[in-house]
Amino acid sequence: MADSLNLTIDGQAREVEQGTTGLDLFKDQKTTVVMRVNGELWDLHREVPADAVVESVDISSPDGLNVLRHSTAHVMAQAVQELYPEAKLGIGPYITDGFYFDFDVDEPFTPEDLKAIEKRMLRIVNQTQSFRRETVTSEQARQALKDEPYKLILLSKADEAATSGEGMSVEIGEGEITLYDNIDRKTGDVIWRDLCRGPHLPNTKIISNAFALTRSAAAYWLGNENNKQLQRIYGTAWPTKQELKEYQERLAEAERRDHRRLGTELDLFSFPDELGSGLPVFHVKGGIIKREMEDYVRDRHVAAGFDYVGTPHISRAGLFHTSGHLPYYADTMFPPLTVDAEHDEDGNVTKPGQEYRLKAMNCPMHNLIYKSRGRSYRDLPLRLFEFGHVYRYEKSGVIHGLTRVRGFAQDDSHSYVTKEQAPEEVRHLIEFMLSLLRDFGMDDYYLELSTRDEDSDKFIGSDEQWEEATRILEEVAISTGVDLVPDPGGAAFYGPKISVQARDAIGRTWQMGTVQYDFNQPARFELEYQAADGTRQEPVMIHAAKFGSIERFMGVLTEHYAGAFPAWLAPVQVRAIPVADVFNDYLAEVVDRLKAEGIRAELDDSHDRFPKKIRNASKEKIPFTLIAGGEDQEANAVSFRYRDGSQDNQVPVDEAIERIVKHVRERINTDHA
């Protein structure tokens, strides 16, 4: 073949004509939307080079979905500027399950505006406009985008090699500058263009009608609160209408399960403005759940060989310099408090004050407990555990109910072991974490290994230390038989970590407990133990938080169970409802017997009518509703009504009590006794 190229295409060697594009290669693969050329994503319009390894990328793959969503963001931005010509473009990246684009406009977008934008987007989609890539110089880009002030800022940052900022990577980066034009299919004219790294779909028609705009919100330019506030539109896009519908149904279900809403409806917790952002309070019913969680996990720790300790909420700042958290962790710690300064009568400082910090982690204080006396190899492993309350300065934009707060309690432990004991201790901790998740009814999970970012200078310790610690965590995680996925660059500054990623009842993934290997703090605190040969050795320190935090875990459990907590956790386990007031005394005796067994039972002897009492119990998601009328009393029985609406009638009282007590004491996470 004259002027031919040798390629490897989806693993197969092929010879093609020079000038062949991805569209030519994959013309029979209708769901291929981009290609990977020598490991990089390329538009299908581009010509493939000689000797390239080319792979097709399906629209349903993670990369394919990202390209679909980013292309849909471009269509949305084009629609906005057609409807609002004065709108200036910010940044529009793809995100999990969707995309957004920022705009500088005079007025915030309304729901009616979003409907109009969607309608205009559909018109653009149906025009089958092509996305065309153009490599340009910085000056050419400036000329093409001279009316887009935010794009000019990005180009300036590119010239300065300063490309950090929210969403910037989709627009500029190292290497060439590219524009993407939307081309009219009939005339070949450029209809719209944007600064973008790409790649994009071959044309807009592939987007079809499987997209939706979900909401609008204010957002600071580049995510910096010192910058101007722009208006952001969020959207989602999927390969088919059916997938879009399924996603919208998942969103609706997630809305029904939102722990913030359920926390209010079930009177569990709240977030008073008077306290400040990210600082929850637990009400009586929420306090019961929290206490049950803490009591159970505390008992499990003691049974697993942990010693319970307690530490204060505040410390001299120097402690966190010793541990290495300052300055590495300073951005997420609250500002220092200066105390104990002395002044003369004129207000002059005669004795400088000392800086204190709210603690953001418990480990430095546990190190002080370890160091409080001499340790021998016979003491190891030494396992210290507490429900330590910590405070972290989360930015206001990321605070979210109980799952992202500023004050929370960690079920935090630190194991001090010899190097030889480290692998077994890691295994012990991982198995402990997984067993706790199963105890609470979450048995769909995988492990994630977070390692050092090799290009960052924000990590301490030698290469050898990192290699050894990472190897130990990886080998132990693999040996558990649980799926393990990599998380490059996600390690703490002092060592790699294993985290448990748990899926809830509707398939969402939550990071739960973590195990971290720390070779840093023992050296910084000069921790030692006397080895069997009489020498002084440095222990290995292993951090573990089984829930992550009580608050976060409760938020996740609330959504996992949609507020219908297992009976052993439920604030009210039994509600007794008489068919008429005449049966109040009969059911009161049943309630008293249940209380004597430690069951949280109550009698509804209010003046509400019977149907309303049943509705109230259902609304409050009470596991067991006991009903009694004339026939029940005559038979010395009660009737069960369960949360799913089913009933079990005329169960003898002794049997009913036995069922409930057994169900609660065995901590069964499913309904029915």
Side-chain angles (χ1 to χ4, degrees):
M1 184 184 297
D3 298 324
S4 63
L5 304 176
N6 293 316
L7 304 175
T8 302
I9 302 171
D10 285 338
Q12 300 295 318
R14 279 181 56 185
E15 188 176 354
V16 302
E17 293 182 357
Q18 190 169 359
T20 295
T21 67
L23 289 174
D24 299 322
L25 293 178
F26 304 111
K27 61 184 177 182
D28 296 327
Q29 296 176 218
K30 301 303 182 184
T31 59
T32 295
V33 290
V34 287
M35 58 184 171
R36 187 174 287 104
V37 179
N38 297 329
E40 294 184 9
L41 291 178
W42 281 28
D43 303 277
L44 292 182
H45 286 290
R46 296 178 67 176
E47 294 182 10
V48 291
D51 302 318
V53 176
V54 185
E55 301 169 88
S56 59
V57 177
D58 191 86
I59 193 170
S60 294
S61 69
D63 285 330
L65 287 171
N66 290 340
V67 170
L68 166 66
R69 289 159 182 163
H70 188 40
S71 297
T72 309
H74 272 228
V75 169
M76 180 181 72
Q78 179 182 344
V80 167
Q81 290 199 313
E82 288 181 2
L83 292 171
Y84 309 94
E86 77 286 354
K88 301 303 178 185
L89 300 174
I91 285 175
Y94 60 81
I95 54 176
T96 302
D97 291 339
F99 58 87
Y100 69 78
F101 217 112
D102 292 339
F103 303 93
D104 189 354
V105 289
D106 291 335
E107 298 292 335
F109 294 105
T110 66
E112 291 72 24
D113 293 334
L114 298 191
K115 291 178 182 178
I117 294 167
E118 276 189 344
K119 186 175 180 180
R120 180 60 65 98
M121 288 174 67
L122 186 57
R123 190 166 84 176
I124 294 170
V125 165
N126 290 333
Q127 289 172 351
T128 317
Q129 298 177 14
S130 298
F131 292 94
R132 186 178 68 189
R133 180 179 185 271
E134 183 181 2
T135 303
V136 295
T137 66
S138 178
E139 187 53 42
Q140 288 172 327
R142 291 176 186 280
Q143 181 60 33
L145 301 167
K146 62 181 183 298
D147 296 325
E148 295 289 352
Y150 297 99
K151 303 297 180 179
L152 296 178
I153 292 173
L154 293 178
L155 288 168
S156 296
K157 289 181 176 291
D159 292 342
E160 299 165 3
T163 58
S164 62
E166 184 185 46
M168 284 180 61
S169 61
V170 302
E171 308 256 345
I172 56 174
E174 296 180 2
E176 57 194 7
I177 296 172
T178 54
L179 301 177
Y180 272 83
D181 299 333
N182 281 33
I183 306 298
D184 186 283
R185 178 167 58 102
K186 296 179 180 178
T187 67
D189 294 337
V190 175
I191 301 174
W192 186 82
R193 66 162 40 113
D194 191 18
L195 175 69
C196 186
R197 296 179 67 182
H200 281 283
L201 303 173
N203 60 69
T204 60
K205 190 67 175 178
I206 297 171
I207 297 171
S208 69
N209 192 23
F211 67 88
L213 302 186
T214 54
R215 63 188 178 96
S216 62
Y220 292 104
W221 166 238
L222 298 181
N224 188 329
E225 295 181 3
N226 296 318
N227 291 338
K228 184 175 182 179
Q229 201 170 71
L230 307 181
Q231 294 301 311
R232 175 174 295 177
I233 299 178
Y234 289 91
T236 188
W238 296 84
T240 65
K241 289 183 181 179
Q242 180 61 30
E243 287 171 283
L244 172 63
K245 180 182 178 182
E246 291 170 356
Y247 170 72
Q248 290 171 326
E249 289 173 349
R250 290 196 300 273
L251 281 186
E253 179 61 25
E255 177 69 20
R256 287 190 288 271
R257 291 171 177 265
D258 190 318
H259 73 278
R260 296 168 298 177
R261 179 178 63 81
L262 289 170
T264 298
E265 291 179 0
L266 301 176
D267 195 21
L268 304 178
F269 46 78
S270 61
F271 305 89
D273 288 339
E274 295 87 343
L275 284 178
S277 181
L279 299 171
V281 294
F282 291 90
H283 301 189
V284 172
K285 291 182 178 179
I288 291 172
I289 299 172
K290 185 170 182 285
R291 187 191 69 227
E292 287 286 349
M293 293 169 62
E294 290 173 345
D295 288 349
Y296 186 43
V297 173
R298 185 182 291 108
D299 290 345
R300 284 291 313 275
H301 274 86
V302 172
F306 291 85
D307 294 311
Y308 187 75
V309 299
T311 59
H313 295 223
I314 190 170
S315 163
R316 289 180 178 175
L319 179 65
F320 301 107
H321 283 285
T322 301
S323 68
H325 289 97
L326 290 174
Y328 287 97
Y329 216 82
D331 289 345
T332 53
M333 295 181 72
F334 276 88
L337 307 170
T338 302
V339 299
D340 295 336
E342 296 181 5
H343 303 79
D344 61 21
E345 294 179 354
D346 298 324
N348 299 311
V349 176
T350 58
K351 178 184 176 183
Q354 299 185 62
E355 284 192 353
Y356 279 70
R357 291 268 188 168
L358 287 173
K359 71 171 176 178
M361 62 293 297
N362 301 296
C363 43
M365 298 183 181
H366 287 192
N367 289 335
L368 298 181
I369 295 174
Y370 180 96
K371 196 177 179 179
S372 64
R373 67 177 182 83
R375 306 289 177 179
S376 162
Y377 71 95
R378 294 187 178 88
D379 298 323
L380 307 186
L382 176 65
R383 300 170 178 139
L384 304 181
F385 156 74
E386 74 167 312
F387 282 115
H389 212 93
V390 298
Y391 304 87
R392 296 184 183 172
Y393 179 63
E394 301 284 4
K395 292 185 178 180
S396 57
V398 301
I399 291 172
H400 183 84
L402 291 179
T403 60
R404 199 70 179 265
V405 293
R406 286 178 169 171
F408 56 94
Q410 288 184 308
D411 57 331
D412 207 6
S413 74
H414 297 93
S415 299
Y416 300 88
V417 298
T418 67
K419 285 187 177 181
E420 294 75 20
Q421 292 170 333
E424 184 56 37
E425 187 66 13
V426 171
R427 180 177 291 104
H428 169 263
L429 291 166
I430 291 176
E431 291 175 350
F432 188 18
M433 286 195 303
L434 298 181
S435 72
L436 281 179
L437 281 179
R438 293 192 295 268
D439 289 345
F440 284 88
M442 300 192 74
D443 52 12
D444 184 4
Y445 44 69
Y446 62 92
L447 302 178
E448 187 174 79
L449 175 60
S450 299
T451 53
R452 179 175 60 172
D453 182 351
E454 300 296 339
D455 297 324
S456 174
D457 60 357
K458 294 184 178 180
F459 296 86
I460 58 180
S462 68
D463 291 344
E464 293 75 19
Q465 287 174 314
W466 277 92
E467 288 170 5
E468 179 183 14
T470 302
R471 176 184 56 78
I472 290 173
L473 290 185
E474 184 173 22
E475 289 178 354
V476 173
I478 291 173
S479 74
T480 66
V482 180
D483 290 342
L484 178 67
V485 301
D487 174 33
F493 71 90
Y494 51 78
K497 71 177 178 181
I498 292 285
S499 60
V500 179
Q501 307 288 331
R503 299 181 184 91
D504 66 13
I506 58 174
R508 296 170 301 177
T509 300
W510 304 85
Q511 178 176 308
M512 308 306 289
T514 58
V515 174
Q516 296 175 286
Y517 193 107
D518 188 347
F519 44 75
N520 163 61
Q521 290 195 52
R524 299 179 75 99
F525 280 87
E526 299 179 342
L527 303 184
E528 294 181 338
Y529 68 90
Q530 182 172 312
D533 62 3
T535 61
R536 308 301 298 179
Q537 301 291 329
E538 186 178 285
V540 171
M541 180 181 184
I542 303 175
H543 308 243
K546 321 309 175 304
F547 287 152
S549 80
I550 296 293
E551 287 75 7
R552 178 178 174 79
F553 196 77
M554 186 186 293
V556 173
L557 279 183
T558 303
E559 300 202 7
H560 178 62
Y561 288 110
F565 294 99
W568 69 279
L569 284 173
V572 178
Q573 295 165 327
V574 178
R575 172 78 54 79
I577 300 178
V579 172
D581 290 349
V582 68
F583 306 110
N584 281 356
D585 291 343
Y586 173 70
L587 275 180
E589 292 180 5
V590 176
V591 167
D592 288 342
R593 289 183 60 184
L594 286 166
K595 287 181 176 179
E597 295 287 347
I599 301 299
R600 295 186 288 274
E602 60 185 32
L603 172 70
D604 186 348
D605 57 359
S606 68
H607 296 300
D608 290 332
R609 296 174 62 84
F610 177 74
K612 185 175 181 182
K613 292 181 180 182
I614 295 295
R615 288 196 300 272
N616 288 342
S618 176
K619 185 177 179 181
E620 294 175 38
K621 303 180 185 292
I622 293 171
F624 301 118
T625 299
L626 298 184
I627 301 168
E631 293 182 359
D632 294 299
Q633 186 172 16
E634 289 175 7
N636 193 32
V638 291
S639 294
F640 279 87
R641 181 180 176 85
Y642 301 108
R643 286 189 286 210
D644 62 4
S646 63
Q647 290 198 187
D648 191 0
N649 295 326
Q650 288 202 6
V651 178
V653 169
D654 289 346
E655 180 184 338
I657 292 173
E658 182 181 352
R659 281 193 201 179
I660 293 169
V661 170
K662 183 175 185 294
H663 192 90
V664 171
R665 288 182 179 168
E666 292 183 0
R667 296 185 173 90
I668 296 172
N669 290 311
T670 55
D671 274 356
H672 293 213

